[in-house]
Amino acid sequence: MPNPCYILEEELLRKNLSLIREVAERANVEIILAFKAFALWKTFPIFREYISHTTASSPFEARLAFEEFGSYAHSFSPAYTVDNFPEFNRCSSHITFNSLSQFERFYPDTLISDHHISCGIRVNPEYSEIETDLYNPCAPGSRFGVLNNALPKILPEGIKGFHCHCHCEDDSYTLERTLKYLEAKFGEWFPQIEWLNLGGGHLMTRKDYDIEHLINILNSLHKRHPHLRIILEPGSAFAWQTGYLQSEVVDIVENHGIKTAILNVSFACHMPDCLEMPYQPEVRTVNTTDNSSSTARKIKEEDITTNNTTQKSLVTESGNFLYRLGGNSCLSGDFIGFWEFDHELTLGEQIIFEDMIHYTTVKTHMFNGVSHPAIAIKHLDGKIEILREFAYEDYKNRMD
């Protein structure tokens, strides 16, 4: 087994997929996979046993859906361009526009596609319970979605659906409250559309999620608007707690009473959400000598007993051992939190970061399928030499 390594467990993945399919069938909705959270295309044959479509937000993702998932994508982009829209057009069955100006500019192109494309507009209900602004698409001044006072009473010809996304790992009760705002602000236009995409962030595979409540909410929505086709596009829910990132301790250093276990992984490079959000993932250790495992306990920094103003106790009051976990990049802040272990860590000991499949595996590459910029050098004579350009193959081949 290579180390470090992301390990996806098929049994856990199928458990999530089975539950998602059950919700879709019982609530008469379509639930599709959002590539921005999970795009390991070599697992798509498993997904195809449970779902039929995916959602894309870049030309690379749309192409991956078309070529590797085997179906047209439900696409949304904050802004399409003349250069990339033809690829969306080729690979999509649904295209949602972020603004009316974008719709007016590119909708005519969908009419000359070789297959039918249903177009929609993203709407912003100006309501979200997401506390972290980095992930809140409905925060004041958001660049996402059209406000209700900007929509004409009669929708432009060609707008067949609304797309609304304002959740992040939320429960069904948040969705219930959101729908009240959505219907209050945009319900008058519902008779003019054919489908309603409720976006992602519905964490229905979380252990404490109330599945029956979700199904009741969706069935009630159908009763109020029986003509609407309802779509959900969660990302995290599909791969939630389906695998882990395996790493190991490569050194232990001490500075001003703080012991840091340096690992052969990096939070900045391999687990960027831990620094962006920020959050501490669940951790367990596996002692490589006897293969025994134990779970580490997160410790809040304010709860650590200090020896003086600069030092922190290396042993907790319970007699356990305190470490900070550090990455192996040169970023000074490449570390995350303090952890209490029931034994002293040793070199070569495995550190397992739980639930590291969704988002993590895409953010370490081209997140959302957004390509890296080309690299060039401008020589003394003014001539520009292109050193490297990135293509779809660079995005896809992370799995080859």
Side-chain angles (χ1 to χ4, degrees):
M1 177 66 66
N3 194 318
C5 183
Y6 299 104
I7 300 175
L8 172 65
E9 299 187 59
E10 181 179 346
E11 180 182 2
L12 300 177
L13 177 63
R14 286 186 179 274
K15 181 180 178 180
N16 284 355
L17 287 166
S18 296
L19 186 147
I20 288 170
R21 181 174 60 184
E22 178 189 349
V23 172
E25 291 174 349
R26 291 179 59 194
N28 190 27
V29 299
E30 182 171 18
I31 304 178
I32 61 181
L33 169 66
F35 280 170
K36 72 175 184 178
F38 184 92
L40 301 181
W41 60 268
K42 288 190 175 180
T43 66
F44 287 175
I46 298 174
F47 279 78
R48 285 304 303 262
E49 296 178 30
Y50 300 87
I51 64 172
S52 300
H53 294 91
T54 61
T55 181
S57 295
S58 67
F60 288 174
E61 287 186 337
R63 184 173 172 182
L64 193 71
F66 184 63
E67 296 182 0
E68 298 301 333
F69 205 86
S71 61
Y72 290 110
H74 291 237
S75 293
F76 164 80
S77 175
Y80 302 98
T81 68
V82 172
D83 291 332
N84 69 27
F85 194 75
E87 191 76 334
F88 280 107
N89 222 14
R90 183 178 75 89
C91 299
S92 304
S93 60
H94 295 69
I95 295 180
T96 296
F97 296 91
N98 190 50
S99 66
L100 290 172
S101 60
Q102 280 264 301
F103 170 78
E104 293 166 359
R105 184 180 184 187
F106 291 106
Y107 170 66
D109 293 349
T110 67
L111 299 176
I112 58 176
S113 171
D114 62 0
H115 64 279
H116 175 68
I117 297 176
S118 182
C119 292
I121 198 80
R122 180 162 176 167
V123 296
N124 186 333
E126 301 179 81
Y127 177 81
S128 174
E129 298 183 19
I130 301 172
E131 296 180 354
T132 304
D133 283 347
L134 181 66
Y135 297 96
N136 188 356
C138 296
S142 171
R143 71 189 198 279
F144 289 124
V146 178
L147 303 183
N148 64 339
N149 58 15
L151 281 179
K153 294 297 182 181
I154 303 299
L155 293 175
E157 182 179 355
I159 293 181
K160 301 297 183 182
F162 280 172
H163 178 285
C164 173
H165 175 56
C166 49
H167 298 95
C168 179
E169 298 184 354
D170 285 326
D171 59 22
S172 58
Y173 297 89
T174 305
L175 173 61
E176 184 175 39
R177 292 187 290 270
T178 300
L179 284 175
K180 293 178 180 179
Y181 282 83
L182 180 63
E183 291 180 89
K185 287 182 176 288
F186 295 98
E188 65 178 285
W189 287 280
F190 283 7
Q192 300 180 49
I193 60 175
E194 300 173 356
W195 51 266
L196 175 64
N197 187 326
L198 295 175
H202 312 281
L203 196 49
M204 60 189 73
T205 53
R206 188 173 59 199
K207 186 177 180 180
D208 60 349
Y209 195 99
D210 192 336
I211 291 296
E212 295 302 322
H213 184 244
L214 173 64
I215 293 172
N216 289 337
I217 289 171
L218 295 173
N219 282 329
S220 296
L221 182 62
H222 277 303
K223 290 180 180 179
R224 296 193 298 274
H225 312 284
H227 71 290
L228 286 182
R229 176 181 166 219
I230 307 299
I231 305 164
L232 287 78
E233 49 178 41
S236 297
F238 282 93
W240 182 258
Q241 295 185 341
T242 58
Y244 52 91
L245 174 58
Q246 175 179 284
S247 68
E248 68 177 46
V249 178
V250 293
D251 196 12
I252 296 174
V253 299
E254 183 177 340
N255 187 321
H256 283 268
I258 296 175
K259 269 192 174 181
T260 300
I262 298 180
L263 312 174
N264 64 344
V265 294
S266 163
F267 295 97
C269 301
H270 307 134
M271 297 169 278
D273 262 9
C274 292
L275 300 183
E276 290 178 0
M277 190 68 169
Y279 77 98
Q280 288 181 258
E282 299 297 325
V283 166
R284 60 185 161 101
T285 66
V286 178
N287 191 306
T288 54
T289 56
D290 60 8
N291 204 35
S292 62
S293 64
S294 63
T295 301
R297 188 169 74 92
K298 305 175 189 178
I299 300 292
K300 294 181 180 179
E301 188 163 351
E302 58 266 27
D303 293 338
I304 298 173
T305 301
T306 57
N307 296 327
N308 55 46
T309 57
T310 60
Q311 293 184 329
K312 300 193 181 302
S313 175
L314 301 182
V315 180
T316 65
E317 293 181 358
S318 59
N320 290 331
F321 299 87
L322 189 69
Y323 292 89
R324 189 170 63 183
L325 299 180
N328 63 345
S329 79
C330 289
L331 175 68
S332 297
D334 191 2
F335 62 84
I336 187 78
F338 288 89
W339 300 84
E340 183 182 59
F341 297 87
D342 62 5
H343 62 283
E344 288 191 81
L345 298 182
T346 58
L347 300 188
E349 186 164 354
Q350 293 184 25
I351 300 292
I352 305 297
F353 292 95
E354 305 286 10
D355 198 22
M356 282 291 150
I357 301 300
H358 62 93
Y359 278 103
T360 300
T361 54
V362 292
K363 284 198 171 185
T364 57
H365 189 56
M366 295 182 184
F367 175 53
N368 241 167
V370 176
S371 182
H372 299 315
I375 303 172
I377 180 172
K378 185 176 182 180
H379 293 292
L380 294 175
D381 60 5
K383 292 183 179 179
I384 295 179
E385 177 188 359
I386 305 299
L387 302 179
R388 175 71 194 273
E389 290 184 277
F390 297 89
Y392 169 71
E393 286 70 27
D394 296 297
Y395 167 67
K396 179 185 174 185
N397 288 346
R398 74 196 190 285
M399 282 285 288
D400 280 347

